[in-house]
Coordinates of all heavy atoms in Angstrom, one line a residue:
M1 N -8.0 -8.7 -56.6 CA -7.0 -8.2 -57.5 C -7.8 -7.0 -58.4 O -8.8 -7.2 -58.8 CB -6.5 -9.3 -58.4 CG -5.6 -10.3 -57.7 SD -4.0 -9.7 -57.3 CE -3.1 -10.4 -58.7
K2 N -6.9 -6.1 -58.7 CA -7.4 -5.0 -59.5 C -6.3 -4.8 -60.5 O -5.1 -5.1 -60.4 CB -7.6 -3.8 -58.8 CG -8.8 -3.9 -57.7 CD -9.2 -2.5 -57.1 CE -10.3 -2.8 -56.2 NZ -10.7 -1.4 -55.6
T3 N -6.7 -4.2 -61.7 CA -5.8 -3.9 -62.8 C -5.7 -2.5 -63.1 O -6.8 -1.7 -63.1 CB -6.3 -4.6 -64.1 OG1 -6.5 -6.0 -63.7 CG2 -5.4 -4.5 -65.1
M4 N -4.6 -1.9 -63.3 CA -4.3 -0.6 -63.6 C -3.3 -0.5 -64.8 O -2.3 -1.2 -64.7 CB -3.9 0.3 -62.5 CG -4.7 1.5 -62.2 SD -4.3 2.3 -60.7 CE -3.8 4.0 -61.3
T5 N -3.7 0.3 -65.8 CA -2.7 0.3 -67.0 C -1.7 1.4 -66.8 O -1.8 2.4 -66.1 CB -3.4 0.4 -68.4 OG1 -4.1 1.8 -68.3 CG2 -4.6 -0.5 -68.4
C6 N -0.6 1.2 -67.7 CA 0.4 2.2 -67.8 C -0.2 3.5 -68.1 O 0.2 4.6 -67.6 CB 1.4 1.7 -68.9 SG 2.7 2.9 -69.2
R7 N -1.2 3.5 -68.9 CA -1.8 4.7 -69.4 C -2.5 5.4 -68.3 O -2.6 6.7 -68.1 CB -2.8 4.4 -70.5 CG -3.2 5.7 -71.4 CD -4.2 5.3 -72.6 NE -3.6 4.2 -73.5 CZ -2.7 4.6 -74.5 NH1 -2.4 6.0 -74.7 NH2 -2.2 3.8 -75.3
Q8 N -3.2 4.7 -67.3 CA -3.8 5.3 -66.1 C -2.8 6.0 -65.2 O -3.2 6.9 -64.4 CB -4.6 4.3 -65.4 CG -5.8 3.9 -66.1 CD -6.7 2.6 -65.4 OE1 -6.1 1.6 -65.4 NE2 -7.7 3.0 -64.8
F9 N -1.5 5.7 -65.4 CA -0.4 6.3 -64.6 C 0.2 7.5 -65.4 O 1.1 8.1 -65.0 CB 0.7 5.4 -64.2 CG 0.3 4.4 -63.2 CD1 0.0 3.0 -63.5 CD2 0.3 4.8 -61.9 CE1 -0.2 2.1 -62.4 CE2 0.0 3.9 -60.8 CZ -0.3 2.6 -61.1
G10 N -0.5 7.7 -66.6 CA 0.0 8.9 -67.4 C 1.1 8.4 -68.3 O 1.8 9.1 -68.9
G11 N 1.3 7.0 -68.5 CA 2.2 6.5 -69.4 C 1.6 6.3 -70.9 O 0.4 6.6 -71.0
P12 N 2.5 5.9 -71.7 CA 2.0 5.9 -73.2 C 1.5 4.6 -73.7 O 1.0 4.5 -74.7 CB 3.3 6.1 -73.9 CG 4.4 5.6 -72.9 CD 3.9 5.7 -71.6
C13 N 1.5 3.4 -72.9 CA 1.1 2.1 -73.4 C -0.1 1.5 -72.6 O -0.5 2.2 -71.5 CB 2.1 1.2 -73.6 SG 2.8 0.3 -72.2
D14 N -0.7 0.4 -73.0 CA -1.7 -0.1 -72.3 C -1.3 -1.4 -71.5 O -2.2 -2.2 -71.1 CB -3.0 -0.5 -73.3 CG -3.6 0.8 -73.8 OD1 -3.9 1.6 -73.0 OD2 -3.7 0.9 -75.1
L15 N -0.2 -1.6 -71.1 CA 0.3 -2.7 -70.3 C -0.5 -2.6 -69.0 O -0.6 -1.6 -68.4 CB 1.9 -2.6 -70.1 CG 2.3 -3.7 -69.4 CD1 2.7 -4.9 -70.3 CD2 3.6 -3.4 -68.5
A16 N -1.0 -3.8 -68.6 CA -1.8 -3.8 -67.4 C -1.1 -4.3 -66.3 O -0.3 -5.4 -66.4 CB -3.0 -4.7 -67.7
H17 N -1.1 -3.7 -65.2 CA -0.5 -4.2 -63.9 C -1.6 -4.7 -63.0 O -2.6 -3.9 -62.8 CB 0.3 -3.0 -63.1 CG 1.3 -2.4 -64.1 ND1 2.3 -3.1 -64.6 CD2 1.3 -1.1 -64.4 CE1 3.1 -2.2 -65.3 NE2 2.5 -1.1 -65.2
R18 N -1.4 -5.8 -62.4 CA -2.4 -6.5 -61.5 C -1.8 -6.3 -60.0 O -0.6 -6.7 -59.8 CB -2.9 -7.8 -61.8 CG -3.7 -7.8 -63.1 CD -4.0 -9.3 -63.5 NE -4.8 -10.1 -62.6 CZ -6.1 -9.9 -62.2 NH1 -6.6 -9.0 -62.9 NH2 -6.6 -10.7 -61.4
G19 N -2.6 -6.1 -59.1 CA -2.1 -6.1 -57.7 C -3.4 -6.0 -56.7 O -4.5 -5.7 -57.1
E20 N -2.9 -6.3 -55.5 CA -4.0 -6.2 -54.4 C -4.2 -4.8 -53.9 O -5.2 -4.6 -53.3 CB -3.5 -7.2 -53.3 CG -3.6 -8.7 -53.6 CD -5.0 -9.1 -53.7 OE1 -5.9 -8.5 -53.4 OE2 -5.2 -10.3 -54.1
T21 N -3.1 -4.1 -54.0 CA -3.0 -2.7 -53.3 C -2.5 -1.7 -54.4 O -1.9 -2.1 -55.3 CB -2.2 -2.5 -52.1 OG1 -0.8 -2.8 -52.5 CG2 -2.5 -3.6 -51.0
A22 N -2.8 -0.4 -54.2 CA -2.4 0.6 -54.9 C -0.8 0.6 -55.1 O -0.2 0.9 -56.0 CB -2.9 1.9 -54.5
D23 N -0.2 0.4 -53.9 CA 1.3 0.4 -53.8 C 1.8 -0.8 -54.7 O 2.8 -0.5 -55.3 CB 1.6 0.0 -52.4 CG 1.5 1.4 -51.4 OD1 1.7 2.5 -52.1 OD2 1.2 1.3 -50.3
D24 N 1.1 -1.9 -54.8 CA 1.7 -3.0 -55.7 C 1.7 -2.5 -57.1 O 2.7 -2.7 -57.8 CB 0.7 -4.2 -55.7 CG 0.8 -5.0 -54.4 OD1 1.8 -4.7 -53.6 OD2 0.0 -5.9 -54.1
V25 N 0.6 -1.9 -57.6 CA 0.6 -1.6 -59.0 C 1.5 -0.4 -59.3 O 2.0 -0.2 -60.3 CB -0.8 -1.3 -59.5 CG1 -1.6 -2.6 -59.6 CG2 -1.6 -0.3 -58.7
I26 N 1.6 0.6 -58.3 CA 2.6 1.6 -58.5 C 4.1 1.2 -58.6 O 4.8 1.6 -59.4 CB 2.4 2.7 -57.2 CG1 1.1 3.5 -57.4 CG2 3.6 3.7 -57.3 CD1 0.8 4.2 -56.2
K27 N 4.3 0.2 -57.8 CA 5.8 -0.4 -57.8 C 5.9 -1.1 -59.1 O 7.0 -1.1 -59.8 CB 5.8 -1.4 -56.7 CG 6.6 -0.9 -55.6 CD 6.8 -2.0 -54.5 CE 6.5 -1.5 -53.1 NZ 6.2 -2.6 -52.3
A28 N 4.7 -1.8 -59.6 CA 4.9 -2.4 -61.0 C 5.2 -1.4 -62.0 O 5.9 -1.7 -63.0 CB 3.7 -3.3 -61.1
Q29 N 4.5 -0.3 -61.9 CA 4.6 0.8 -63.0 C 5.9 1.3 -63.0 O 6.6 1.5 -64.0 CB 3.5 1.8 -62.8 CG 3.7 3.0 -63.7 CD 3.4 2.8 -65.2 OE1 3.1 1.5 -65.5 NE2 3.5 3.7 -66.0
D30 N 6.5 1.5 -61.8 CA 7.9 2.0 -61.6 C 8.8 1.1 -62.3 O 9.7 1.5 -63.0 CB 8.1 2.1 -60.1 CG 9.5 2.8 -59.9 OD1 9.7 3.8 -60.6 OD2 10.2 2.5 -59.1
Q31 N 8.6 -0.2 -61.9 CA 9.5 -1.2 -62.6 C 9.3 -1.2 -64.1 O 10.4 -1.4 -64.8 CB 9.2 -2.6 -62.1 CG 10.2 -3.7 -62.4 CD 11.7 -3.3 -62.0 OE1 12.0 -3.0 -60.9 NE2 12.7 -3.5 -62.8
H32 N 8.2 -1.1 -64.6 CA 7.9 -1.1 -66.1 C 8.6 0.0 -66.7 O 9.3 0.0 -67.8 CB 6.4 -1.0 -66.2 CG 5.9 -0.8 -67.6 ND1 6.3 -1.4 -68.7 CD2 5.1 0.3 -68.1 CE1 5.7 -0.8 -69.8 NE2 5.1 0.1 -69.5
L33 N 8.5 1.2 -66.0 CA 9.2 2.4 -66.6 C 10.7 2.3 -66.6 O 11.4 2.6 -67.6 CB 8.8 3.6 -65.8 CG 7.3 4.0 -65.9 CD1 7.1 5.3 -65.0 CD2 7.0 4.4 -67.4
K34 N 11.3 1.7 -65.6 CA 12.8 1.4 -65.5 C 13.1 0.4 -66.6 O 14.1 0.6 -67.3 CB 13.1 0.7 -64.1 CG 13.3 1.6 -63.0 CD 13.7 0.9 -61.7 CE 13.6 1.7 -60.5 NZ 13.5 1.0 -59.3
D35 N 12.3 -0.6 -66.8 CA 12.7 -1.6 -67.9 C 12.5 -1.0 -69.2 O 13.4 -1.2 -70.0 CB 11.6 -2.8 -67.8 CG 11.8 -3.7 -66.6 OD1 12.9 -3.5 -66.0 OD2 11.0 -4.5 -66.3
A36 N 11.6 -0.1 -69.4 CA 11.5 0.6 -70.8 C 12.7 1.5 -70.8 O 13.2 1.5 -72.1 CB 10.2 1.5 -70.7
E37 N 13.2 2.2 -69.9 CA 14.3 3.1 -70.0 C 15.5 2.3 -70.5 O 16.3 2.6 -71.4 CB 14.5 3.8 -68.7 CG 15.6 4.9 -68.8 CD 15.9 5.5 -67.6 OE1 16.0 4.8 -66.5 OE2 16.1 6.8 -67.5
K38 N 15.7 1.1 -69.8 CA 16.8 0.2 -69.9 C 16.8 -0.3 -71.4 O 17.8 -0.4 -72.1 CB 16.8 -1.0 -69.0 CG 17.9 -1.0 -68.1 CD 18.0 -2.3 -67.3 CE 17.7 -2.1 -65.9 NZ 17.3 -3.3 -65.2
A39 N 15.5 -0.5 -72.0 CA 15.5 -1.1 -73.4 C 15.5 0.1 -74.4 O 15.4 -0.2 -75.5 CB 14.1 -1.8 -73.3
G40 N 15.7 1.2 -73.8 CA 15.8 2.4 -74.8 C 14.5 2.8 -75.4 O 14.6 3.4 -76.5
D41 N 13.4 2.5 -74.7 CA 12.2 2.9 -75.2 C 11.8 4.3 -74.9 O 11.7 4.8 -73.9 CB 11.1 2.1 -74.5 CG 9.7 2.4 -74.9 OD1 9.4 3.4 -75.5 OD2 8.8 1.5 -74.7
T42 N 12.0 5.2 -76.0 CA 11.8 6.7 -75.8 C 10.4 7.1 -75.5 O 10.3 8.1 -75.0 CB 12.3 7.4 -76.9 OG1 11.7 6.9 -78.1 CG2 13.9 7.2 -77.1
T43 N 9.4 6.3 -75.8 CA 8.0 6.6 -75.7 C 7.8 6.7 -74.2 O 6.8 7.4 -73.7 CB 7.0 5.7 -76.3 OG1 7.1 4.4 -75.7 CG2 7.2 5.6 -77.8
H44 N 8.5 6.2 -73.3 CA 8.2 6.0 -71.9 C 9.1 7.0 -71.2 O 9.1 7.1 -70.0 CB 8.4 4.7 -71.2 CG 7.3 3.7 -71.5 ND1 7.2 3.2 -72.8 CD2 6.4 3.2 -70.8 CE1 6.1 2.3 -72.8 NE2 5.6 2.4 -71.5
F45 N 10.0 7.8 -71.9 CA 11.0 8.6 -71.3 C 10.2 9.7 -70.4 O 10.7 9.9 -69.3 CB 11.7 9.4 -72.4 CG 12.9 10.1 -71.8 CD1 14.0 9.6 -71.4 CD2 12.8 11.6 -71.8 CE1 15.1 10.3 -70.9 CE2 13.8 12.3 -71.2 CZ 15.0 11.6 -70.8
A46 N 9.3 10.3 -71.0 CA 8.6 11.3 -70.0 C 7.9 10.9 -68.8 O 8.1 11.4 -67.7 CB 7.5 12.2 -70.9
A47 N 7.3 9.8 -68.9 CA 6.7 9.2 -67.6 C 7.8 8.7 -66.8 O 7.6 8.9 -65.5 CB 5.8 8.1 -68.2
R48 N 8.8 8.2 -67.2 CA 9.9 7.8 -66.3 C 10.5 9.0 -65.6 O 10.8 8.8 -64.4 CB 11.0 7.0 -67.3 CG 12.3 6.8 -66.5 CD 12.1 5.6 -65.5 NE 13.4 5.3 -64.8 CZ 13.6 5.3 -63.5 NH1 12.6 5.5 -62.7 NH2 14.8 5.1 -63.0
K49 N 10.7 10.0 -66.3 CA 11.2 11.3 -65.7 C 10.3 11.8 -64.6 O 10.8 12.1 -63.5 CB 11.5 12.3 -66.8 CG 12.6 13.2 -66.6 CD 12.8 14.2 -67.8 CE 13.3 15.6 -67.3 NZ 13.1 16.6 -68.4
E50 N 9.1 11.7 -64.9 CA 8.1 12.3 -63.8 C 8.1 11.4 -62.7 O 8.1 11.8 -61.6 CB 6.7 12.1 -64.4 CG 6.3 13.5 -65.2 CD 4.9 13.4 -65.8 OE1 4.1 12.9 -65.2 OE2 4.7 13.9 -67.0
M51 N 8.2 10.0 -62.9 CA 8.1 9.0 -61.8 C 9.5 9.3 -60.9 O 9.4 9.3 -59.7 CB 8.2 7.7 -62.4 CG 7.9 6.7 -61.3 SD 6.3 6.7 -60.5 CE 5.3 5.4 -61.4
K52 N 10.7 9.4 -61.6 CA 11.9 9.7 -60.9 C 11.7 11.0 -60.0 O 12.2 11.0 -58.9 CB 13.0 9.9 -61.9 CG 13.9 8.9 -62.1 CD 15.1 9.3 -62.9 CE 15.8 8.1 -63.6 NZ 16.7 8.5 -64.6
G53 N 11.1 12.0 -60.5 CA 10.9 13.2 -59.9 C 10.1 13.0 -58.7 O 10.3 13.8 -57.6
R54 N 9.2 12.2 -58.8 CA 8.2 11.9 -57.5 C 9.0 11.3 -56.4 O 8.8 11.7 -55.3 CB 7.1 11.0 -58.0 CG 6.1 11.7 -58.8 CD 4.9 10.7 -59.1 NE 4.1 11.4 -60.3 CZ 4.1 10.9 -61.5 NH1 4.5 9.8 -61.8 NH2 3.4 11.6 -62.4
W55 N 9.9 10.4 -56.8 CA 10.8 9.8 -55.7 C 11.6 10.8 -55.0 O 11.9 10.7 -53.8 CB 11.4 8.6 -56.1 CG 10.6 7.5 -56.7 CD1 11.0 6.8 -57.8 CD2 9.4 6.9 -56.3 NE1 10.1 5.8 -58.2 CE2 9.0 6.0 -57.3 CE3 8.5 7.2 -55.3 CZ2 7.8 5.2 -57.2 CZ3 7.2 6.5 -55.2 CH2 7.0 5.6 -56.1
L56 N 12.1 11.8 -55.9 CA 12.9 12.7 -55.3 C 12.3 13.8 -54.5 O 12.8 14.5 -53.6 CB 13.6 13.5 -56.5 CG 14.8 12.6 -57.1 CD1 15.3 13.4 -58.4 CD2 15.9 12.4 -56.2
H57 N 11.0 14.1 -54.8 CA 10.2 15.0 -54.1 C 8.9 14.5 -53.5 O 7.8 14.8 -54.1 CB 9.9 16.3 -55.1 CG 11.0 16.8 -55.8 ND1 11.8 17.6 -55.2 CD2 11.5 16.7 -57.0 CE1 12.9 18.0 -56.0 NE2 12.7 17.4 -57.1
P58 N 9.0 13.6 -52.6 CA 7.8 12.8 -52.1 C 6.7 13.7 -51.5 O 5.5 13.4 -51.8 CB 8.4 11.9 -51.0 CG 9.8 12.3 -50.9 CD 10.3 13.2 -51.9
K59 N 7.0 14.9 -51.0 CA 6.0 15.7 -50.4 C 5.2 16.3 -51.5 O 4.0 16.3 -51.4 CB 6.6 16.8 -49.5 CG 6.6 16.4 -48.1 CD 7.0 17.6 -47.2 CE 7.6 17.0 -45.9 NZ 8.5 18.0 -45.2
K60 N 5.9 16.8 -52.5 CA 5.2 17.4 -53.7 C 4.4 16.5 -54.3 O 3.4 16.8 -55.1 CB 6.3 18.0 -54.6 CG 6.3 19.5 -54.6 CD 6.9 20.0 -55.8 CE 8.4 20.1 -56.0 NZ 9.0 20.6 -57.2
S61 N 4.6 15.1 -54.3 CA 4.0 14.1 -55.0 C 2.8 13.5 -54.3 O 2.2 12.7 -54.8 CB 5.0 13.1 -55.5 OG 6.0 13.7 -56.0
M62 N 2.7 14.0 -53.1 CA 1.5 13.3 -52.2 C 0.2 13.5 -53.0 O -0.7 12.5 -53.0 CB 1.3 14.1 -50.9 CG 2.3 13.6 -49.9 SD 2.5 11.8 -49.8 CE 1.0 11.4 -48.9
G63 N 0.0 14.6 -53.7 CA -1.4 14.7 -54.5 C -1.5 13.6 -55.5 O -2.5 13.1 -55.5
W64 N -0.3 13.4 -56.3 CA -0.4 12.4 -57.3 C -0.6 11.1 -56.7 O -1.5 10.2 -57.1 CB 0.9 12.4 -58.0 CG 0.9 11.2 -59.0 CD1 0.6 11.3 -60.4 CD2 1.6 10.0 -58.8 NE1 0.9 9.9 -60.9 CE2 1.6 9.3 -60.0 CE3 2.3 9.4 -57.8 CZ2 2.0 7.9 -60.2 CZ3 2.7 8.0 -57.9 CH2 2.6 7.4 -59.0
Y65 N 0.0 10.8 -55.5 CA -0.1 9.4 -54.9 C -1.5 9.2 -54.5 O -2.0 8.0 -54.6 CB 0.9 9.5 -53.6 CG 1.0 8.3 -53.0 CD1 1.5 7.0 -53.6 CD2 0.7 8.1 -51.6 CE1 1.6 5.9 -53.0 CE2 0.7 6.8 -50.9 CZ 1.3 5.7 -51.6 OH 1.3 4.6 -51.0
R66 N -2.1 10.3 -53.8 CA -3.4 10.1 -53.3 C -4.4 9.9 -54.4 O -5.4 9.1 -54.4 CB -3.9 11.4 -52.6 CG -3.6 11.4 -51.3 CD -4.3 12.4 -50.3 NE -3.4 12.8 -49.2 CZ -2.8 14.0 -49.2 NH1 -3.1 14.9 -50.0 NH2 -2.2 14.3 -48.1
E67 N -4.2 10.6 -55.6 CA -5.0 10.4 -56.8 C -4.9 9.0 -57.4 O -5.9 8.4 -57.6 CB -4.5 11.4 -57.8 CG -5.5 11.8 -58.9 CD -4.8 12.7 -59.9 OE1 -4.4 13.8 -59.5 OE2 -4.7 12.3 -61.1
M68 N -3.7 8.4 -57.4 CA -3.5 7.1 -57.9 C -4.3 6.1 -56.9 O -4.8 5.1 -57.4 CB -2.0 6.7 -57.9 CG -1.3 7.4 -59.1 SD -2.1 7.1 -60.6 CE -2.5 8.8 -61.1
K69 N -4.1 6.4 -55.6 CA -4.7 5.5 -54.6 C -6.3 5.5 -54.8 O -6.9 4.5 -54.7 CB -4.4 5.8 -53.1 CG -3.0 5.4 -52.8 CD -2.9 5.4 -51.3 CE -2.4 4.1 -50.8 NZ -2.0 4.1 -49.4
Q70 N -6.8 6.8 -54.9 CA -8.2 6.9 -55.2 C -8.6 6.2 -56.5 O -9.7 5.4 -56.5 CB -8.6 8.4 -55.2 CG -10.0 8.6 -55.2 CD -10.8 8.0 -54.1 OE1 -10.3 8.3 -52.9 NE2 -11.8 7.2 -54.3
T71 N -7.9 6.4 -57.6 CA -8.2 5.8 -58.9 C -8.3 4.2 -58.6 O -9.2 3.5 -59.1 CB -7.2 5.9 -59.9 OG1 -7.1 7.5 -60.0 CG2 -7.5 5.3 -61.2
F72 N -7.3 3.7 -57.9 CA -7.3 2.2 -57.6 C -8.5 1.7 -56.8 O -9.1 0.8 -57.1 CB -5.9 1.9 -56.8 CG -5.8 0.5 -56.8 CD1 -5.1 -0.4 -57.7 CD2 -6.1 -0.3 -55.6 CE1 -4.9 -1.7 -57.7 CE2 -5.8 -1.6 -55.4 CZ -5.3 -2.4 -56.4
A73 N -8.8 2.6 -55.8 CA -9.9 2.2 -54.9 C -11.2 2.2 -55.7 O -12.1 1.4 -55.4 CB -10.0 3.2 -53.8
D74 N -11.4 3.1 -56.7 CA -12.6 3.1 -57.4 C -12.6 2.0 -58.5 O -13.8 1.9 -59.1 CB -12.7 4.5 -58.2 CG -13.0 5.7 -57.2 OD1 -13.2 5.3 -56.0 OD2 -12.6 6.9 -57.5
L75 N -11.6 1.3 -58.8 CA -11.6 0.3 -59.8 C -12.4 -0.9 -59.3 O -12.5 -1.2 -58.1 CB -10.2 -0.2 -60.2 CG -9.3 0.8 -60.8 CD1 -8.0 0.2 -60.9 CD2 -9.8 0.9 -62.3
P76 N -13.1 -1.6 -60.2 CA -13.8 -2.9 -59.8 C -12.8 -4.0 -59.6 O -11.7 -4.0 -60.4 CB -14.7 -3.1 -61.1 CG -14.0 -2.4 -62.3 CD -13.2 -1.3 -61.7
E77 N -13.1 -4.8 -58.8 CA -12.3 -6.1 -58.6 C -12.4 -6.9 -59.8 O -13.4 -7.0 -60.5 CB -12.9 -6.9 -57.3 CG -12.7 -6.2 -55.9 CD -11.2 -6.4 -55.4 OE1 -10.6 -7.2 -56.0 OE2 -11.0 -5.8 -54.5
S78 N -11.3 -7.4 -60.2 CA -11.2 -8.4 -61.3 C -10.4 -9.7 -61.2 O -9.7 -9.7 -60.3 CB -10.9 -7.6 -62.5 OG -9.5 -7.2 -62.4
Ligands
ZN1 ZN1 3.9 1.5 -70.6

């Protein structure tokens, strides 16, 4: 298991997501941003907007996706 925080995804807080793969933690971050939006948390608004844009433009977002996968791969197991 590895841990990646909301901040490592470009978000505003230090909430940690744990997962076996990069996809797991990306999904957890996506859910976290959705929950924050639902809760009316404006500090996560920009990050949520960016994440939404990524799903709409998957090709343009490949760079970001690779970067997140690389960041995850470089993390120590915990
Ligand atoms: Zn957050």
Side-chain angles (χ1 to χ4, degrees):
M1 295 281 267
K2 294 185 181 186
T3 305
M4 233 171 122
T5 64
C6 177
R7 202 176 297 279
Q8 282 173 294
F9 285 106
C13 79
D14 288 311
L15 183 86
H17 306 297
R18 285 174 64 73
E20 292 289 349
T21 67
D23 286 325
D24 284 349
V25 289
I26 288 171
K27 260 184 231 159
Q29 173 69 359
D30 188 41
Q31 189 59 52
H32 166 56
L33 293 175
K34 278 184 198 163
D35 291 345
E37 187 183 43
K38 249 189 245 163
D41 180 345
T42 51
T43 62
H44 284 76
F45 185 76
R48 169 72 177 129
K49 210 174 145 196
E50 271 177 41
M51 190 68 97
K52 261 189 197 168
R54 284 184 195 111
W55 304 138
L56 287 173
H57 308 286
K59 260 187 207 162
K60 253 206 270 176
S61 308
M62 277 314 285
W64 175 87
Y65 186 63
R66 275 200 209 107
E67 202 182 298
M68 289 304 119
K69 281 198 125 169
Q70 190 56 52
T71 302
F72 188 83
D74 292 342
L75 289 170
E77 290 281 346
S78 62

